[in-house]
Structures are given as C-alpha cells and as structure tokens.
Amino acid sequence: HFQVVGGKVKKPGKRGRKPAKIDLKAKLERSRQSARECRARKKLRYQYLEELVSSRERAICALREELEMYKQWCMAMDQGKIPSEIKALLTGEEQGKAQQNSAKLAKAGKTEANSSNP
C-alpha cells in the first residue's frame, strides 16, 4: 500500500525526514547524565522518607510515654490517691474560674451602674 504524493512514492510508516546520524558519544553522555540525575532524585526521596519515618517513630515514643503516664495516674486514683499533677491542674482551674467569675461580676456591676443612671 503506497501513496503517491507530488509524483513521489512514499512508504507508509514514519513521517518526515530521517534524523541525521546522532553523535553516539553525545547520546551516551546524555544517558549518563540522566542516570546520575535519577540516582540523585532517588537518594533525596529515600532521605526524605527516612526522616519522615524517624520523626513518626519519635512521635510514637512520646505518645507511648504520655499514655503510660495517664495509666499511672488512673492506677493511683483507683487506689484513692490524687497525683500531684492533677492537683495542680485542679487548683489552676479553680483559680482560673475564680478570676473569670470576678471579671463577670465586675462587668455585671458596671452594666447595672450604667443602666440605673439615665
């Protein structure tokens, strides 16, 4: 199956003219450069993944320690003891509530004073 275009017989398949003889040394050098870049990208990707795994492992250790601390607190409270950390949290909350209540009372006093004076 041949085509006749402009009086010339063309074979089906590749279009356009054939590329000039590519310099083999240049082609090999491009291939080597591409391989170097690929290895460098691969190395960076593995470094990134190793850092990610390491950071996740550290996070897991920290969470395990925190969980163990909470277990100890629960065991102490089951025995009727209140851990000092929880006491500190409770006294801190009570102080915070007292400060909030006093602030609310002060605001309420100001609004009442303003509404009573026309």
Side-chain angles (χ1 to χ4, degrees), residues 55-114:
S55 69
R56 298 287 162 90
E57 286 174 346
R58 285 192 302 272
I60 288 169
C61 287
L63 289 170
R64 283 193 175 134
E65 288 174 10
E66 187 177 353
L67 178 62
E68 190 59 36
M69 177 183 69
Y70 291 140
K71 284 181 182 178
Q72 296 295 327
W73 288 6
C74 289
M75 286 173 30
M77 286 191 285
D78 287 345
Q79 296 171 0
K81 302 172 186 171
I82 299 176
S84 59
E85 297 91 349
I86 293 178
K87 284 181 183 176
L89 286 173
L90 291 173
T91 56
E93 284 178 11
E94 289 173 6
Q95 289 173 354
K97 285 180 184 177
Q99 288 174 352
Q100 287 176 354
N101 287 339
S102 64
K104 285 180 186 176
L105 290 173
K107 285 182 183 178
K110 287 180 184 176
T111 55
E112 287 176 13
N114 291 342

Side-chain angles (χ1 to χ4, degrees), residues 2-107:
F2 296 100
Q3 286 184 333
V4 178
V5 178
K8 294 184 180 179
V9 177
K10 287 194 162 192
K11 296 179 186 176
K14 295 181 180 178
R15 295 183 181 189
R17 62 182 191 159
K18 291 184 180 180
K21 181 90 173 178
I22 298 174
D23 185 20
L24 191 60
K25 287 184 180 180
K27 186 175 180 180
L28 284 173
E29 185 54 39
R30 280 198 308 273
S31 176
R32 288 186 192 112
Q33 181 63 29
S34 177
R36 277 192 292 270
E37 291 170 0
C38 180
R39 286 190 296 271
R41 285 192 304 271
K42 183 177 178 181
K43 186 177 178 182
L44 285 173
R45 185 169 50 249
Y46 274 88
Q47 285 176 348
Y48 166 74
L49 290 173
E50 286 173 0
E51 289 172 9
L52 193 63
V53 167
S54 177
S55 69
R56 298 287 162 90
E57 286 174 346
R58 285 192 302 272
I60 288 169
C61 287
L63 289 170
R64 283 193 175 134
E65 288 174 10
E66 187 177 353
L67 178 62
E68 190 59 36
M69 177 183 69
Y70 291 140
K71 284 181 182 178
Q72 296 295 327
W73 288 6
C74 289
M75 286 173 30
M77 286 191 285
D78 287 345
Q79 296 171 0
K81 302 172 186 171
I82 299 176
S84 59
E85 297 91 349
I86 293 178
K87 284 181 183 176
L89 286 173
L90 291 173
T91 56
E93 284 178 11
E94 289 173 6
Q95 289 173 354
K97 285 180 184 177
Q99 288 174 352
Q100 287 176 354
N101 287 339
S102 64
K104 285 180 186 176
L105 290 173
K107 285 182 183 178

